[in-house]
Amino acid sequence: MRIFAALCLASSAYAYSPSVGLGVRRSAATPVAASHSRVRDAPSMVADPRAKPEAFIGSTFGSNSAMFYRQGTLVLEDGTRLKGVSFGYEASVSGEIVFTTGMVGYPESLTDPSYRGQILVMTYPIIGNYGVPEDDEDAWGLPRFFESDHVQVAALIVSDYSHHHSHWNSRRSLSQWLNQQKVPALYGIDTRLLTKKIRAKGALRAYIEFEPNVKLAEVSLK
């Protein structure tokens, strides 16, 4: 009981602010309304929601927001059509679709010359969680963290793209890197289905198509 009472006393010293979602420390003499007022007057740390953050180009901040980003469709030669959400460069592309089962090392896989011109499917479900390292070279002038000096694949297909990345050596998100390299990428696609098809039929020809941009119709006021 003493421990429970102490926890209740400690929790009463904090006021929950819906605007920031954090506990705001207040004294016993400070009313909750006053602490909320100080939170509202404090400089906002939330970015303008109308601006599209560069660090998360093509990605979403939750499953419900995926509808606001451009979608693409992966079409296989057997007629299968799989719709996904773009997190890379948005341009139609075609190539042979293959898969890799690596759990880590997507920067190395994407720059591997053996995948040149192919649409690569990553079977590991979460991709992008540790970002992409810098374009550094070793003492012999070779890429320190990549297999070549640029992305070799024609496109990338993953089940889930990690919206946030964290690593001591990360310099950009996977989405940023793919946009810089002009490589299309889709997430939200059933990679298990693709893997089974490729294992049963071998490498398949495929292409990615993007829906046209939606434009508001000009309305005459006459």
Side-chain angles (χ1 to χ4, degrees), residues 46 51 64 84 104 154-155 177 179 199 217:
V46 181
N64 291 334
V104 295
W177 188 42
N179 273 277
R199 286 180 62 89

Side-chain angles (χ1 to χ4, degrees), residues 18-214:
S19 60
V20 295
L22 298 174
V24 180
R25 180 73 178 182
R26 62 180 177 90
S27 64
T30 305
V32 175
S35 64
H36 284 183
S37 176
R38 283 203 298 269
V39 171
R40 287 194 298 267
D41 296 338
S44 175
M45 297 178 64
V46 181
D48 184 353
R50 294 169 298 180
K52 193 173 183 181
E54 183 180 2
F56 301 104
I57 294 175
S59 68
T60 67
F61 295 94
S63 58
N64 291 334
S65 61
M67 66 185 72
F68 298 109
Y69 290 85
R70 198 174 182 197
Q71 295 185 340
T73 303
L74 174 66
V75 184
L76 305 183
E77 64 175 289
D78 64 359
T80 302
R81 300 178 66 90
L82 301 171
K83 189 175 293 292
V85 181
S86 171
F87 69 99
Y89 188 74
E90 295 178 353
S92 298
V93 67
S94 62
E96 184 182 52
I97 189 167
V98 297
F99 71 88
T100 178
T101 59
M103 297 178 64
V104 295
Y106 56 82
E108 291 84 351
S109 296
L110 295 177
T111 54
D112 189 339
S114 66
Y115 292 124
R116 180 175 178 82
Q118 295 178 321
I119 299 176
L120 183 62
V121 177
M122 307 288 287
T123 60
Y124 191 69
I126 301 177
I127 301 296
N129 57 311
Y130 57 88
V132 177
E134 60 186 350
D135 298 319
D136 196 12
E137 295 182 348
D138 59 20
W140 294 273
L142 299 175
R144 186 182 299 274
F145 305 110
F146 306 111
E147 297 301 306
S148 63
D149 60 357
H150 66 280
V151 176
Q152 301 283 347
V153 302
L156 176 64
I157 305 294
V158 302
S159 175
D160 187 18
Y161 171 64
S162 180
H163 310 148
H164 304 276
H165 61 93
S166 178
H167 192 273
W168 67 269
N169 199 29
S170 176
R171 295 295 180 269
R172 56 206 156 171
S173 70
L174 177 58
S175 177
Q176 283 180 297
W177 188 42
L178 293 174
N179 273 277
Q180 293 169 357
Q181 297 282 317
K182 300 185 183 305
V183 176
L186 298 177
Y187 77 92
I189 289 181
D190 189 349
T191 54
R192 295 171 298 178
L193 172 65
L194 287 175
T195 303
K196 288 181 178 180
K197 281 182 172 290
I198 296 172
R199 286 180 62 89
K201 302 180 179 181
L204 301 170
R205 291 176 296 175
Y207 67 92
I208 295 175
E209 60 183 14
F210 289 93
E211 298 175 359
N213 291 328
V214 177

